[in-house]
Amino acid sequence: MDTLQVFSGTSNPDLASEICAYLQIPLGKAQITRFPNDEVKIRIEQNVAPFDVFVIQSLSAPVDHHIMQMLIMIDALRRGSAERITAVIPYFAYAKQEKKTAPREPISAKLVANLLTVAGADRILTVDLHSPAIEGFFDIPVDHLRAAPILADHLRTLHIEHPVVVSPDSGGVARATDFRYRLGAAIAIIAKNRLRPDSVEMIDMVGDVRNCTAIIVDDMISTGGTLFEAADMLKSRGAEKVFAVASHAILANQAAPSIASGRLNGVVVTNTIAIPPEKHSPYLTVLSVAPLIGETIRRIHLNLSVSALFT
């Protein structure tokens, strides 16, 4: 482990510190500042040749700034002759833009993948991509971790009676199916229609939630539109309680106040994205992915199996 180094951007320094604590190594020294014209300036303040280097950066808001930080830091490490550079991206931005939905639209997730590769990344480590197909956008190894075991383990400690796992749309059925097996629960599926990027309409539901505890499973909570519309439908169909679990807590617009108001009985997320103190509430539980990412880094560095973590 004496040839391993971990650096961090500014998007989620607490998670980076937790990962380094798990690995029992110090966080790499890097100076990250801005010029008066708002350009990013990065200086790596220690020798990186010939080290195996991991750079931790969630591509959360401000998204484009954090992407540029990651790219510039990778370039600095490459020019410093790091032996191998792994981009650790707990939350991968632009993942919803992984295909064209109309003429003359970009495939932004593919562009981000290209930028990371051109900057000098040799490997990608990420958590719960919105679309697994994004793995195919890279011509370098990708380790795609899942937070479902962490979330499911926590729910089991709550001893929920009569649980029903709910997919809030057809695209999340595979995710919900995996979750139902982990909990030994029934499943329900909601059909929705997206009216606008920030507005959805719940059409119908397959499954029975009467006198049950519904658990909505999604990969991210952005504005909360899908989540709260689904919760209202579940309550109207007779659900006694409604919980929600998600890997990525973006919590844009009024999502955090709505959670704090108690519209759901509880929301469980992970710390792939740093959540500011003002967005915390008694109804929000944040679990750490640091042990999962830390163990994966250790296994990659020692050339051990990563897939063994999920079997």
mmCIF file with all atom_site columns, all heavy atoms in Angstrom, residues 159-172:
data_model
loop_
_atom_site.group_PDB
_atom_site.id
_atom_site.type_symbol
_atom_site.label_atom_id
_atom_site.label_alt_id
_atom_site.label_comp_id
_atom_site.label_asym_id
_atom_site.label_entity_id
_atom_site.label_seq_id
_atom_site.pdbx_PDB_ins_code
_atom_site.Cartn_x
_atom_site.Cartn_y
_atom_site.Cartn_z
_atom_site.occupancy
_atom_site.B_iso_or_equiv
_atom_site.pdbx_formal_charge
_atom_site.auth_seq_id
_atom_site.auth_comp_id
_atom_site.auth_asym_id
_atom_site.auth_atom_id
_atom_site.pdbx_PDB_model_num
ATOM 1   N N   . HIS A 1 159 ? -36.838 -3.314 10.583  1.00 0.00 ? 159 HIS A N   1
ATOM 2   C CA  . HIS A 1 159 ? -37.838 -4.371 10.804  1.00 0.00 ? 159 HIS A CA  1
ATOM 3   C C   . HIS A 1 159 ? -39.213 -3.948 10.282  1.00 0.00 ? 159 HIS A C   1
ATOM 4   O O   . HIS A 1 159 ? -40.214 -3.971 10.998  1.00 0.00 ? 159 HIS A O   1
ATOM 5   C CB  . HIS A 1 159 ? -37.920 -4.719 12.289  1.00 0.00 ? 159 HIS A CB  1
ATOM 6   C CG  . HIS A 1 159 ? -36.608 -5.118 12.892  1.00 0.00 ? 159 HIS A CG  1
ATOM 7   N ND1 . HIS A 1 159 ? -35.944 -6.274 12.539  1.00 0.00 ? 159 HIS A ND1 1
ATOM 8   C CD2 . HIS A 1 159 ? -35.802 -4.476 13.798  1.00 0.00 ? 159 HIS A CD2 1
ATOM 9   C CE1 . HIS A 1 159 ? -34.798 -6.354 13.213  1.00 0.00 ? 159 HIS A CE1 1
ATOM 10  N NE2 . HIS A 1 159 ? -34.688 -5.278 13.975  1.00 0.00 ? 159 HIS A NE2 1
ATOM 11  N N   . ILE A 1 160 ? -39.238 -3.564 9.019   1.00 0.00 ? 160 ILE A N   1
ATOM 12  C CA  . ILE A 1 160 ? -40.478 -3.103 8.385   1.00 0.00 ? 160 ILE A CA  1
ATOM 13  C C   . ILE A 1 160 ? -41.405 -4.286 8.139   1.00 0.00 ? 160 ILE A C   1
ATOM 14  O O   . ILE A 1 160 ? -41.008 -5.311 7.590   1.00 0.00 ? 160 ILE A O   1
ATOM 15  C CB  . ILE A 1 160 ? -40.165 -2.393 7.051   1.00 0.00 ? 160 ILE A CB  1
ATOM 16  C CG1 . ILE A 1 160 ? -39.353 -1.113 7.319   1.00 0.00 ? 160 ILE A CG1 1
ATOM 17  C CG2 . ILE A 1 160 ? -41.439 -2.063 6.291   1.00 0.00 ? 160 ILE A CG2 1
ATOM 18  C CD1 . ILE A 1 160 ? -38.850 -0.443 6.072   1.00 0.00 ? 160 ILE A CD1 1
ATOM 19  N N   . GLU A 1 161 ? -42.672 -4.133 8.548   1.00 0.00 ? 161 GLU A N   1
ATOM 20  C CA  . GLU A 1 161 ? -43.671 -5.184 8.331   1.00 0.00 ? 161 GLU A CA  1
ATOM 21  C C   . GLU A 1 161 ? -44.387 -4.954 7.004   1.00 0.00 ? 161 GLU A C   1
ATOM 22  O O   . GLU A 1 161 ? -44.711 -3.831 6.642   1.00 0.00 ? 161 GLU A O   1
ATOM 23  C CB  . GLU A 1 161 ? -44.680 -5.197 9.473   1.00 0.00 ? 161 GLU A CB  1
ATOM 24  C CG  . GLU A 1 161 ? -44.069 -5.576 10.824  1.00 0.00 ? 161 GLU A CG  1
ATOM 25  C CD  . GLU A 1 161 ? -45.123 -5.673 11.909  1.00 0.00 ? 161 GLU A CD  1
ATOM 26  O OE1 . GLU A 1 161 ? -46.313 -5.421 11.607  1.00 0.00 ? 161 GLU A OE1 1
ATOM 27  O OE2 . GLU A 1 161 ? -44.756 -5.999 13.055  1.00 0.00 ? 161 GLU A OE2 1
ATOM 28  N N   . HIS A 1 162 ? -44.607 -6.048 6.281   1.00 0.00 ? 162 HIS A N   1
ATOM 29  C CA  . HIS A 1 162 ? -45.323 -6.033 4.999   1.00 0.00 ? 162 HIS A CA  1
ATOM 30  C C   . HIS A 1 162 ? -44.712 -5.016 4.021   1.00 0.00 ? 162 HIS A C   1
ATOM 31  O O   . HIS A 1 162 ? -45.383 -4.114 3.522   1.00 0.00 ? 162 HIS A O   1
ATOM 32  C CB  . HIS A 1 162 ? -46.805 -5.711 5.208   1.00 0.00 ? 162 HIS A CB  1
ATOM 33  C CG  . HIS A 1 162 ? -47.469 -6.554 6.253   1.00 0.00 ? 162 HIS A CG  1
ATOM 34  N ND1 . HIS A 1 162 ? -47.555 -7.923 6.163   1.00 0.00 ? 162 HIS A ND1 1
ATOM 35  C CD2 . HIS A 1 162 ? -48.049 -6.211 7.431   1.00 0.00 ? 162 HIS A CD2 1
ATOM 36  C CE1 . HIS A 1 162 ? -48.186 -8.397 7.229   1.00 0.00 ? 162 HIS A CE1 1
ATOM 37  N NE2 . HIS A 1 162 ? -48.487 -7.380 8.018   1.00 0.00 ? 162 HIS A NE2 1
ATOM 38  N N   . PRO A 1 163 ? -43.417 -5.156 3.706   1.00 0.00 ? 163 PRO A N   1
ATOM 39  C CA  . PRO A 1 163 ? -42.796 -4.208 2.780   1.00 0.00 ? 163 PRO A CA  1
ATOM 40  C C   . PRO A 1 163 ? -43.158 -4.515 1.319   1.00 0.00 ? 163 PRO A C   1
ATOM 41  O O   . PRO A 1 163 ? -43.278 -5.676 0.925   1.00 0.00 ? 163 PRO A O   1
ATOM 42  C CB  . PRO A 1 163 ? -41.301 -4.423 3.022   1.00 0.00 ? 163 PRO A CB  1
ATOM 43  C CG  . PRO A 1 163 ? -41.204 -5.864 3.438   1.00 0.00 ? 163 PRO A CG  1
ATOM 44  C CD  . PRO A 1 163 ? -42.463 -6.161 4.217   1.00 0.00 ? 163 PRO A CD  1
ATOM 45  N N   . VAL A 1 164 ? -43.328 -3.464 0.552   1.00 0.00 ? 164 VAL A N   1
ATOM 46  C CA  . VAL A 1 164 ? -43.521 -3.578 -0.891  1.00 0.00 ? 164 VAL A CA  1
ATOM 47  C C   . VAL A 1 164 ? -42.546 -2.612 -1.556  1.00 0.00 ? 164 VAL A C   1
ATOM 48  O O   . VAL A 1 164 ? -42.596 -1.407 -1.312  1.00 0.00 ? 164 VAL A O   1
ATOM 49  C CB  . VAL A 1 164 ? -44.961 -3.231 -1.320  1.00 0.00 ? 164 VAL A CB  1
ATOM 50  C CG1 . VAL A 1 164 ? -45.090 -3.305 -2.848  1.00 0.00 ? 164 VAL A CG1 1
ATOM 51  C CG2 . VAL A 1 164 ? -45.965 -4.167 -0.667  1.00 0.00 ? 164 VAL A CG2 1
ATOM 52  N N   . VAL A 1 165 ? -41.646 -3.143 -2.361  1.00 0.00 ? 165 VAL A N   1
ATOM 53  C CA  . VAL A 1 165 ? -40.689 -2.306 -3.080  1.00 0.00 ? 165 VAL A CA  1
ATOM 54  C C   . VAL A 1 165 ? -41.371 -1.740 -4.317  1.00 0.00 ? 165 VAL A C   1
ATOM 55  O O   . VAL A 1 165 ? -42.032 -2.469 -5.060  1.00 0.00 ? 165 VAL A O   1
ATOM 56  C CB  . VAL A 1 165 ? -39.442 -3.116 -3.473  1.00 0.00 ? 165 VAL A CB  1
ATOM 57  C CG1 . VAL A 1 165 ? -38.541 -2.323 -4.402  1.00 0.00 ? 165 VAL A CG1 1
ATOM 58  C CG2 . VAL A 1 165 ? -38.679 -3.540 -2.224  1.00 0.00 ? 165 VAL A CG2 1
ATOM 59  N N   . VAL A 1 166 ? -41.204 -0.448 -4.526  1.00 0.00 ? 166 VAL A N   1
ATOM 60  C CA  . VAL A 1 166 ? -41.910 0.238  -5.608  1.00 0.00 ? 166 VAL A CA  1
ATOM 61  C C   . VAL A 1 166 ? -40.906 0.862  -6.572  1.00 0.00 ? 166 VAL A C   1
ATOM 62  O O   . VAL A 1 166 ? -40.005 1.604  -6.150  1.00 0.00 ? 166 VAL A O   1
ATOM 63  C CB  . VAL A 1 166 ? -42.841 1.346  -5.055  1.00 0.00 ? 166 VAL A CB  1
ATOM 64  C CG1 . VAL A 1 166 ? -43.566 2.047  -6.206  1.00 0.00 ? 166 VAL A CG1 1
ATOM 65  C CG2 . VAL A 1 166 ? -43.837 0.759  -4.064  1.00 0.00 ? 166 VAL A CG2 1
ATOM 66  N N   . SER A 1 167 ? -41.068 0.559  -7.863  1.00 0.00 ? 167 SER A N   1
ATOM 67  C CA  . SER A 1 167 ? -40.308 1.259  -8.901  1.00 0.00 ? 167 SER A CA  1
ATOM 68  C C   . SER A 1 167 ? -41.139 2.447  -9.361  1.00 0.00 ? 167 SER A C   1
ATOM 69  O O   . SER A 1 167 ? -42.286 2.272  -9.792  1.00 0.00 ? 167 SER A O   1
ATOM 70  C CB  . SER A 1 167 ? -40.022 0.337  -10.085 1.00 0.00 ? 167 SER A CB  1
ATOM 71  O OG  . SER A 1 167 ? -39.421 1.069  -11.142 1.00 0.00 ? 167 SER A OG  1
ATOM 72  N N   . PRO A 1 168 ? -40.602 3.682  -9.287  1.00 0.00 ? 168 PRO A N   1
ATOM 73  C CA  . PRO A 1 168 ? -41.402 4.851  -9.652  1.00 0.00 ? 168 PRO A CA  1
ATOM 74  C C   . PRO A 1 168 ? -41.574 5.045  -11.153 1.00 0.00 ? 168 PRO A C   1
ATOM 75  O O   . PRO A 1 168 ? -42.286 5.954  -11.578 1.00 0.00 ? 168 PRO A O   1
ATOM 76  C CB  . PRO A 1 168 ? -40.609 6.012  -9.043  1.00 0.00 ? 168 PRO A CB  1
ATOM 77  C CG  . PRO A 1 168 ? -39.202 5.534  -9.048  1.00 0.00 ? 168 PRO A CG  1
ATOM 78  C CD  . PRO A 1 168 ? -39.267 4.050  -8.804  1.00 0.00 ? 168 PRO A CD  1
ATOM 79  N N   . ASP A 1 169 ? -40.918 4.203  -11.950 1.00 0.00 ? 169 ASP A N   1
ATOM 80  C CA  . ASP A 1 169 ? -41.114 4.246  -13.409 1.00 0.00 ? 169 ASP A CA  1
ATOM 81  C C   . ASP A 1 169 ? -40.651 2.919  -13.996 1.00 0.00 ? 169 ASP A C   1
ATOM 82  O O   . ASP A 1 169 ? -40.019 2.095  -13.318 1.00 0.00 ? 169 ASP A O   1
ATOM 83  C CB  . ASP A 1 169 ? -40.358 5.418  -14.045 1.00 0.00 ? 169 ASP A CB  1
ATOM 84  C CG  . ASP A 1 169 ? -38.885 5.449  -13.669 1.00 0.00 ? 169 ASP A CG  1
ATOM 85  O OD1 . ASP A 1 169 ? -38.243 4.385  -13.689 1.00 0.00 ? 169 ASP A OD1 1
ATOM 86  O OD2 . ASP A 1 169 ? -38.373 6.537  -13.349 1.00 0.00 ? 169 ASP A OD2 1
ATOM 87  N N   . SER A 1 170 ? -40.951 2.715  -15.265 1.00 0.00 ? 170 SER A N   1
ATOM 88  C CA  . SER A 1 170 ? -40.620 1.441  -15.906 1.00 0.00 ? 170 SER A CA  1
ATOM 89  C C   . SER A 1 170 ? -39.115 1.236  -16.027 1.00 0.00 ? 170 SER A C   1
ATOM 90  O O   . SER A 1 170 ? -38.630 0.105  -16.029 1.00 0.00 ? 170 SER A O   1
ATOM 91  C CB  . SER A 1 170 ? -41.264 1.375  -17.295 1.00 0.00 ? 170 SER A CB  1
ATOM 92  O OG  . SER A 1 170 ? -40.837 2.465  -18.106 1.00 0.00 ? 170 SER A OG  1
ATOM 93  N N   . GLY A 1 171 ? -38.361 2.333  -16.123 1.00 0.00 ? 171 GLY A N   1
ATOM 94  C CA  . GLY A 1 171 ? -36.913 2.219  -16.263 1.00 0.00 ? 171 GLY A CA  1
ATOM 95  C C   . GLY A 1 171 ? -36.216 1.716  -15.022 1.00 0.00 ? 171 GLY A C   1
ATOM 96  O O   . GLY A 1 171 ? -35.051 1.287  -15.088 1.00 0.00 ? 171 GLY A O   1
ATOM 97  N N   . GLY A 1 172 ? -36.874 1.750  -13.875 1.00 0.00 ? 172 GLY A N   1
ATOM 98  C CA  . GLY A 1 172 ? -36.248 1.323  -12.631 1.00 0.00 ? 172 GLY A CA  1
ATOM 99  C C   . GLY A 1 172 ? -36.666 -0.059 -12.165 1.00 0.00 ? 172 GLY A C   1
ATOM 100 O O   . GLY A 1 172 ? -36.393 -0.433 -11.016 1.00 0.00 ? 172 GLY A O   1
#
